[in-house]
Amino acid sequence: MSRARSLFAAATLGGALSMPLSIPLAHADDLSKAVEKDYQNHLGELFDYFHRNPELSNMETKTAARLAKELRAAGFEVTEGVGGTGVVAMMKNGPGPLVMMRADMDGLPVEEKSGLPNASRAKQVDWDGNEVFVMHACGHDVHITALVGTARAMAARKDQWSGTLMLIGQPAEERVGGAKLMMEDKLWQRFGQPDYALAFHVTSELPTGKIGVTEDSPYSGADTVDIIIHGVGAHGASPHRGVDPVVLGSQIVLALQTVISREKPPRFGGVITVGSFHAGTKHNIISDQARLQLTVRNDDLETRQLLLDGIKRVAENMGRVAGLPEDKLPEVIVSEEWVPPTINDSKLTQRLRSVWVEKLGEDSIAEPQKRKGMGAEDFPFFTTDPYIPSTYFAIGGTPQADFDREEAGGTPVPSHHSPLFKITPEPAVTLGVEATVTALMDLLQAPGE
């Protein structure tokens, strides 16, 4: 089945809600045509609203209100304010499993420079009291628009599935805290623990019309670590009178890389990056303190512990090498803001991949690609403890022609979190809806099917 799609001109978007739910989705034989029609009549304008009006993490009040309104209009029972600004929409439709689909809502403190006619010019006061530009520089506007499309399509097909559908609008994914906040607000106790959990992320690294899915870990775990290095201050001309925390910090930075190269098994994923090194105030003063800020990545919890233990051991023992007393050794502070790796359930993922191939065509599945980076997600806070079988997949957001131009030496495709980031909305939203609905219809099979 061909996945070619016409592009919806961004310049035609904009305006208020105009199309009620009563579009005849349930009477369409072809899901793709029905979703395309819903995009033209409703979802396109909704995406435009979300794109023009992004909000920062834990401040998604207008976004959450609009999402809740849309989900109520689709016939769901909606609860707002879960874990802050989170939205939970429930539809009970007879006996069967409880299946959860999550979409994240927040934007980023980035000024959009995409050149699109509907580029965000929104500003917001951030967590530190600064007024900043805000942009959907990671595609969360696609996710919440597709969640609404999924709600409308599933509501129109209630005679074809059985069970309970839970749709979640999650805050603060960009600060990897929103899922945890919702869980701390007794999400499963209040609404039921899902039998399966799904999520997707639109990506500029895949062509439109393609689904990316892996049976292992699509996202890594991440920790934030600070190291405070205590020295002994002195005049820069008399270094023998002090203990230089800059030199000690430099030794720690280099020694940490041996944890990666000589302690971590070479085929296990792991990164230790020192992203910030601050010390001193003047050219000729040896400071009495330096601070390092680290991001630490892993693909399994065993590797996580190995890396964290290694950082502490290296930092403290380099302090001993420098002659510091035990009460002045470097302090290693592991933040409570961490995320475990996102690990797809192999059996569930194989099942859904087969369904997508059967219903959407073999060419809808992208060729498997090795992950080259170690980006993180907070989705596993929903699925790790207790364990819930889950699949996190990707939806292509960049036309193939853009990749062809880049390969020929043209402008590179902008990355996520870039001011230039852009997604072609129609094929991304519609395939996101189709892939999600196809998966849900398989997991929520009516009795006797």
Side-chain angles (χ1 to χ4, degrees):
M1 180 186 297
S2 170
R3 306 299 304 156
R5 302 168 182 276
S6 61
L7 301 182
F8 187 80
T12 66
L13 296 176
L17 276 171
S18 59
M19 191 66 190
L21 180 63
S22 58
I23 58 173
L25 288 175
H27 305 295
D29 294 328
D30 179 51
L31 174 63
S32 178
K33 291 179 180 178
V35 175
E36 288 283 359
K37 184 174 182 179
D38 198 22
Y39 188 89
Q40 300 295 337
N41 292 333
H42 187 80
L43 298 178
E45 291 185 1
L46 182 61
F47 171 84
D48 185 67
Y49 170 81
F50 286 137
H51 187 79
R52 292 177 186 269
N53 297 280
E55 295 177 292
L56 295 171
S57 303
N58 292 319
M59 302 180 187
E60 313 93 336
T61 54
K62 294 179 181 178
T63 303
R66 179 62 180 268
L67 180 62
K69 178 181 178 181
E70 293 282 344
L71 296 173
R72 284 195 185 95
F76 284 72
E77 182 179 340
V78 178
T79 303
E80 299 178 64
V82 180
T85 55
V87 176
V88 178
M90 304 293 296
M91 180 172 283
K92 297 180 181 180
N93 189 36
L98 170 57
V99 183
M100 182 264 272
M101 178 66 194
R102 171 276 223 169
D104 36 15
M105 303 187 294
D106 51 333
L108 286 157
V110 175
E111 181 180 359
E112 183 166 0
K113 299 178 181 178
S114 65
L116 294 173
N118 64 339
S120 168
R121 303 310 300 161
K123 288 185 176 182
Q124 201 169 12
V125 177
D126 70 8
W127 316 278
D128 299 318
N130 303 309
E131 186 178 54
V132 297
F133 283 99
V134 188
M135 173 188 175
H136 271 302
C138 205
H140 295 185
D141 45 359
V142 170
H143 304 168
I144 48 182
T145 305
L147 193 72
V148 172
T150 295
R152 291 160 63 85
M154 293 299 291
R157 290 169 169 74
K158 290 180 68 173
D159 61 336
Q160 300 174 40
W161 60 274
S162 184
T164 301
L165 179 55
M166 173 190 291
L167 302 180
I168 288 181
Q170 183 208 305
E173 186 279 328
E174 295 293 357
R175 301 195 77 179
V176 292
K180 190 174 183 181
L181 288 173
M182 294 188 80
M183 291 297 287
E184 289 173 350
D185 201 6
K186 303 186 182 303
L187 183 64
W188 298 159
Q189 294 91 325
R190 294 169 63 184
F191 301 100
Q193 180 178 316
D195 297 290
Y196 305 102
L198 304 176
F200 81 79
H201 206 301
V202 68
T203 174
S204 64
E205 298 180 5
L206 274 182
T208 52
K210 295 292 185 181
I211 301 170
V213 62
T214 178
E215 290 180 31
D216 48 28
S217 175
Y219 288 98
S220 298
D223 281 277
T224 296
V225 179
D226 292 272
I227 302 177
I228 302 174
I229 302 166
H230 303 285
V232 177
H235 195 293
S238 301
H240 62 289
R241 302 287 299 274
V243 176
D244 192 338
V246 173
V247 172
L248 176 54
S250 300
Q251 292 170 330
I252 291 172
V253 170
L254 294 175
L256 288 176
Q257 299 313 308
T258 65
V259 178
I260 296 295
S261 66
R262 288 297 177 266
E263 297 185 39
K264 179 186 66 63
R267 296 182 67 85
F268 285 37
V271 166
I272 298 174
T273 293
V274 180
S276 174
F277 189 149
H278 287 279
T281 58
K282 199 173 185 297
H283 303 73
N284 62 350
I285 298 175
I286 293 175
S287 175
D288 62 358
Q289 189 178 98
R291 289 177 174 260
L292 306 180
Q293 295 179 324
L294 288 66
T295 185
V296 183
R297 305 295 170 117
N298 68 83
D299 281 340
D300 62 87
L301 297 181
E302 182 180 353
T303 300
R304 174 183 185 246
Q305 197 60 52
L306 182 151
L307 297 181
L308 294 179
D309 289 346
I311 291 168
K312 181 177 177 64
R313 186 186 65 255
V314 165
E316 290 183 349
N317 283 306
M318 291 305 296
R320 292 186 175 100
V321 169
L324 290 173
E326 290 296 307
D327 63 346
K328 291 291 186 180
L329 294 179
E331 299 177 56
V332 177
I333 303 168
V334 180
S335 172
E336 293 183 0
E337 293 184 4
W338 74 287
V339 291
T342 303
I343 301 175
N344 282 347
D345 183 86
S346 180
K347 184 177 179 181
L348 175 61
T349 302
Q350 289 175 7
R351 172 181 175 178
L352 296 184
R353 188 186 189 283
S354 297
V355 170
W356 287 325
V357 168
E358 177 187 354
K359 302 294 185 181
L360 304 180
E362 181 74 44
D363 64 343
S364 68
I365 305 296
E367 290 294 324
Q369 295 180 333
K370 287 188 176 181
R371 205 158 43 99
K372 297 180 180 179
M374 299 193 73
E377 245 281 359
D378 69 349
F379 179 68
F381 280 123
F382 292 126
T383 62
T384 301
D385 185 18
Y387 178 77
I388 296 172
S390 63
T391 295
Y392 194 114
F393 57 100
I395 295 293
T398 301
Q400 182 61 49
D402 289 7
F403 292 111
D404 295 340
R405 278 194 295 270
E406 178 180 3
E407 190 172 341
T411 304
V413 173
S415 72
H416 292 244
H417 293 213
S418 164
L420 304 176
F421 175 81
K422 59 182 177 181
I423 289 297
T424 304
E426 182 178 1
V429 170
T430 54
L431 182 57
V433 174
E434 288 179 58
T436 304
V437 171
T438 300
L440 292 174
M441 295 291 285
D442 184 72
L443 297 174
L444 293 164
Q445 293 185 21
E449 291 189 8

